[in-house]
Every structure is written in C-alpha cells, then in structure tokens.
Amino acid sequence: MIKSEVIKQILDHYRVIWALGHAQALMGWDTETYMPEEGIRGRAQARAEIAELLQKLTLDEKFVKLIEKAEEEKDLGDVERGVVRVLKRDLKYYQRVPPEINREFAKVTSEAFVAWRQAKEKAKFEVFAPYLEKIVELSRVIADKLGYEEHPYDALLDLYEEGLRSRDVDAIFSTLEPGIRRLLNRLEARGWPKSHPLEEQEYRREDAEAAIRDILEMIGYPKGRLRLDVSPHPFTTGIAAPFDVRITVRYPPKDFKEPLMSAIHEFGHALYELGVDESLAFTPVGTGVSLGVHESQSRFWENMVGRGRAFVERISPILRRRLSFLDKYSDDDLFYYLNVVRPSYIRTEADEVTYNLHILLRYKLEKLMIAGEVKVAEIPELWNNEMERLLGIRPRNDAEGVLQDIHWSHGSIGYFPTYTLGNVIAAQIRAAMGFVDEAVASGDFAKIKDWLRERIHRWGAVYPPKELVRRATGEEYNASHLLAYLESKYK
Ligand code: MG
C-alpha cells in the first residue's frame, strides 16, 4: 500500500510519535480510572514532559523536510496522500501559532478551570468572566495566526473538525432550528411523555453492569480488544487502534438508562477505532478522522439503534432478567422511558429532540464572542434569553445556564458544533443504509457493523471528513435526514 520511499521514511519517524501518543493515551485512561488520587502529582509531570517531547519530534527539521518533499510527490495513493494531509494539519498549528501564545493559553486555561469550578459552585458568572475574556482574546489571536477566509470562528472550528466552516454550520441549523421547534410544539400539544417513573427508580450497580455486558455482547463485543470500566465521565479511548480500545461508563444511583445509553454511545465510538484497517495501525491515519465523524458513530448506535422500538424489544428480555423492578412495566413503557422529551437546562441530560438546540445556543454565542460582537459580560443574559426563545425555559441561575459546561474553561471554542454535525451525519448514514430497523429486529447487528466498517471505519483518517461522508452516503452534509428521522420517530 505504501510505495513512496519518502512516505516510508516519514512512517519510520512517525512510529516513535505514535508510541509516545500510545503512552499518553494509556496514562490518560489510567488517570480517569484506576490511578490513586495522589498519583496525579507524578502523572501530570510525566504527561507534560511527553507532550513536549512529542512536539519536538513533530517539528524535527528532517521530519518536516520529508513531509514537504512528500507534498511534491506525484502519483501518491489515497493512503499516502492521507498521511501527508494529516501530518500537515499537525504541523500547521505549531508552525503558525507562536510558542508564547501557547504558553499563555495553557496558563490561562489551567487558572480558568479552577475559576470556573468556583464560579459554578457559587453560581456567579463574574468569578469566571475575566478568564473567559482572556480565553476569547487569545482565541482571536490564534484564529488570526491560523488564517481563515470568511469568519475568524472558521479557523477555530477547523481545529476540531477538518474542513468545517461556519457557513456549513449555519446551513445545518437553518434546517434544524425551525424543524425541531415545530416538532417540540407538536409533541407538547399531543402530550408526549416528559418524564417517566423509571427515572426515579434505584438499581443495583452489579445488575445494570451485567445487563450492559449482555447487551454489548449481543451486538458483538470483541473481548480480546475492548475493556469496559468505570470513570466519573464516560469516554472512549483508542489506546492502540484497532487492537486495544477502552470505554467507560458511570453508575448514578438511579435512572439506569444513563449507564445503559452511555455504554451504547461509547461502544459506537469504540467500534470505529476497532474497525480501522490493520494496515493503517501506527500511522497518522490509523484512527478516527474527526470529532464529528466519531460522534456520528456513537450517536448512530445510541439513538438510531439504541432508542428505537426494535432495539427495545431485543433488549427487554435481557433487562428483565437482571432488573426485576421492570416486571411492573411493558415494553412500551421501556420505549417511552428511553425517549422522554423534556426541554431542560443541561445539555448533557438533553434528549435527542432538544439536544441540538443546546448546541445552537452555544454556537451562536461563541461566534458572537469571537467576532467581537458581544462583550463577555453580556453573555449570561444573552444565554438566558436565547434558551428561553429556543427551549421555552429560563435558567434560574448561572450554574444552570452559562456555567454548566467545562469546555470554555478548557479554551475549547469551536468544539460544540461537532456534536450536532455528528447527529447530522448519523442520520445521513441511517438513510443511506436503509435497513437499520429491519436488521435490529432480526438481530442482524453484523449487517449494520459490516456496512459501517466498509464505508467508514476501515478508512481511518485516509480521507478528510467531508469526503469520507460523501463517499459513504453519496451526499454533502445534509441536515434534512436528521429532521426526517426525528419526525418519523416522534409521530
Ligand atoms: Mg461522544
């Protein structure tokens, strides 16, 4: 597959970068799962040193020259071109953003995280505001250094989702916003369940975990390559795709759909990393291509499979075997429990109908801040007004409103739209596949997984996200499939 001598040399050098990334990933996983608390004192140091070493190896003069030389090569194959493309993206940030800015950004965000936590505890935005101001200011400098054509926000978007522009995001929301609000009004008028008694039901962690393991096994759990553990926030990490992938969930004392649905969500992420072609292992293209495409995989399994009627009927006997309190409830109950639709303040608790309105809210505010069109001090009021307009509810304080998510304190501006993009791509995949419900009803999960592996997973990062989606679904990003899916499900 690799014929070019230059690319072979690049991959030789890259294997060391890969190995350090592998160590970072494993340390990251351990930090969130089994590390004793005080271990952080050593872990933070080790990870910082390795991060610096990684940067040095990436910017190594000989390596950079090889990448530039490879760019000139004619007749590169798809995989070879993918290698050059991904490495050039890695280099771009380091080459254009001066190290002083990075150091300043790192300092501000580490202080901002502490300030955000205090601000949230006190429900006082003012505590966090000066840090957010600084983060916005630095993000604007970074956007200028990286360059953009239409809007400074585009430069930041591109950091998280290759090739995504605010013009794409605007187009997506111009379809979703009116459609979702129409649907919400209809559900309200028809009295679709806004809550369910099972949300208050306590369960034993061992029972939920046993059910989750049975369900993942039914879909096809590759035991030799995947682990399921517990952490404060569920996540997936490809330690060495496609050979070693880890997922985690958490078990709050009541409402078992939380661990169940997040296990299926993370399993979707995991299948992507597990499905990357083995020949791409240890190369820059040997992993999922972007956050948006990754989220499409998790949301596809969580929502389009996991919350569907056919799936509820499949998992009902498994759940009933483990969770005896379900005796009182029908499969219909179970379906409504998994598909409660309720406008809420908190994005992470949002159902699949209201979820994207939370993303729209953040996207709007981020874009305004980056364009310098609003002051940070105006954000909480704008937030509350916008939430009231979109979801019909008004946060009672800043903790419920603008301070709920950690991302801004990390400096992650431009990140949220990838969540909605993931939902949009998931629905495109569902439409292109055309057999999801029948396959689930007959228990033929292999058919779904084969489609995904063939058209998405096996390619890793060989193609940029837009091209991959076009190849897989035959279309550009198109939000109308998401709307059509929601409308047909919530009829
Ligand atoms: Mg996810």
Side-chain angles (χ1 to χ4, degrees), residues 77-79 81-82 85 161-164 289-290 293 421 425 428 455-456 459-477:
D78 286 4
V79 173
R81 268 204 303 275
R85 189 191 93 253
E161 188 70 24
E162 183 180 354
L164 187 66
V289 67
S290 71
V293 177
L421 182 65
I425 299 172
Q428 278 182 243
R455 300 214 195 187
I456 309 257
W459 301 106
V462 169
Y463 301 112
K466 280 182 178 169
E467 185 178 345
L468 179 70
V469 170
R470 198 185 311 125
R471 283 167 176 265
T473 69
E475 269 188 290
E476 305 296 320
Y477 297 151

Side-chain angles (χ1 to χ4, degrees), residues 105 135 139 152-162 164-166 169 291-292 359 362-363 365-367 369-370 407-408 411-421:
F105 201 70
I135 285 168
S139 298
Y153 191 75
D154 289 352
L156 304 175
L157 266 180
D158 192 79
L159 286 176
Y160 298 100
E161 188 70 24
E162 183 180 354
L164 187 66
R165 301 288 175 261
S166 39
V169 184
L291 291 171
I359 305 301
R362 278 154 204 288
Y363 166 65
L365 297 189
E366 288 190 349
K367 218 174 127 194
M369 285 194 285
I370 293 300
H407 300 61
W408 284 350
S412 311
I413 294 180
Y415 174 97
F416 283 107
T418 68
Y419 285 128
T420 288
L421 182 65

Side-chain angles (χ1 to χ4, degrees), residues 265 269 295 298:
H265 178 102
H269 281 303
E295 194 68 4
S298 55

Side-chain angles (χ1 to χ4, degrees), residues 21 45 164 178 188 194 196 216 245 263-264 325 351 376 453 460:
Q45 188 63 31
L164 187 66
E188 175 81 30
K194 282 184 159 178
H196 195 282
L216 296 186
V245 180
I264 297 172
F325 54 78
D351 53 79
V376 163
R453 192 183 312 111

Side-chain angles (χ1 to χ4, degrees), residues 70-328:
E71 257 194 296
E72 309 288 308
E73 295 247 307
K74 308 265 181 289
D75 312 319
L76 290 183
D78 286 4
V79 173
E80 294 169 318
R81 268 204 303 275
V83 167
V84 177
R85 189 191 93 253
V86 170
L87 290 175
K88 283 214 56 180
R89 267 178 68 77
D90 291 350
L91 283 181
K92 182 179 165 187
Y93 189 89
Y94 290 136
Q95 289 176 331
R96 296 202 186 171
V97 181
E100 314 84 80
I101 304 269
N102 276 325
R103 267 196 297 275
E104 217 183 323
F105 201 70
K107 185 167 173 283
V108 173
T109 49
S110 70
E111 291 166 1
F113 170 65
V114 179
W116 168 76
R117 236 182 7 207
Q118 288 168 353
K120 195 177 172 193
E121 265 169 36
K122 296 182 187 144
K124 275 205 166 81
F125 181 72
E126 306 87 87
V127 177
F128 180 55
Y131 298 90
L132 184 57
E133 256 161 39
K134 190 79 198 154
I135 285 168
V136 170
E137 191 188 309
L138 285 171
S139 298
R140 293 179 62 182
V141 174
I142 290 170
D144 281 337
K145 299 278 179 203
L146 289 171
Y148 54 84
E149 278 167 21
E150 290 175 9
H151 196 287
Y153 191 75
D154 289 352
L156 304 175
L157 266 180
D158 192 79
L159 286 176
Y160 298 100
E161 188 70 24
E162 183 180 354
L164 187 66
R165 301 288 175 261
S166 39
R167 137 207 312 264
D168 302 311
V169 184
D170 288 340
I172 286 171
F173 282 122
S174 71
T175 303
L176 291 184
E177 186 189 338
I180 292 172
R181 293 182 60 203
R182 224 175 16 244
L183 180 58
L184 271 178
N185 288 337
R186 225 180 302 150
L187 293 180
E188 175 81 30
R190 263 195 254 128
W192 185 277
K194 282 184 159 178
S195 64
H196 195 282
L198 280 170
E199 290 175 297
E200 297 303 317
Q201 176 67 53
E202 292 184 4
Y203 61 90
R204 290 190 343 150
R205 182 188 139 176
E206 310 83 86
D207 298 338
E209 190 176 333
I212 284 169
R213 287 187 185 278
D214 290 347
I215 289 165
L216 296 186
E217 211 161 296
M218 174 188 79
I219 308 174
Y221 184 100
K223 282 206 188 74
R225 295 186 176 204
L226 185 63
R227 272 191 69 92
L228 169 65
D229 293 273
V230 176
S231 71
H233 302 281
F235 68 95
T236 299
T237 181
I239 304 275
F243 310 114
D244 179 357
V245 180
R246 317 285 174 94
I247 59 178
T248 68
V249 292
R250 58 178 200 140
Y251 296 93
K254 56 184 188 178
D255 198 6
F256 71 89
K257 75 167 182 284
E258 190 193 312
L260 172 63
M261 286 298 136
S262 61
I264 297 172
H265 178 102
E266 301 306 333
F267 188 68
H269 281 303
L271 282 176
Y272 190 5
E273 294 293 316
L274 291 163
V276 173
D277 197 278
E278 288 193 11
S279 68
L280 303 179
F282 324 131
T283 77
V285 292
T287 185
V289 67
S290 71
L291 291 171
V293 177
H294 237 298
E295 194 68 4
S296 77
Q297 298 308 295
S298 55
R299 298 292 270 183
F300 174 83
W301 284 96
E302 178 193 350
N303 288 336
M304 282 141 202
V305 174
R307 293 183 206 268
R309 274 202 190 262
F311 193 74
V312 169
E313 275 158 34
R314 284 257 136 208
I315 62 173
S316 157
I318 298 174
L319 291 172
R320 289 173 192 286
R321 207 157 52 231
R322 304 288 186 180
L323 304 166
S324 56
F325 54 78
L326 287 176
D327 288 350
K328 284 180 280 179

Side-chain angles (χ1 to χ4, degrees), residues 5-17:
E5 279 310 313
V6 183
I7 301 283
K8 281 182 189 160
Q9 288 177 46
I10 288 175
L11 293 181
D12 281 343
H13 180 98
Y14 182 80
R15 262 191 297 280
V16 183
I17 296 177

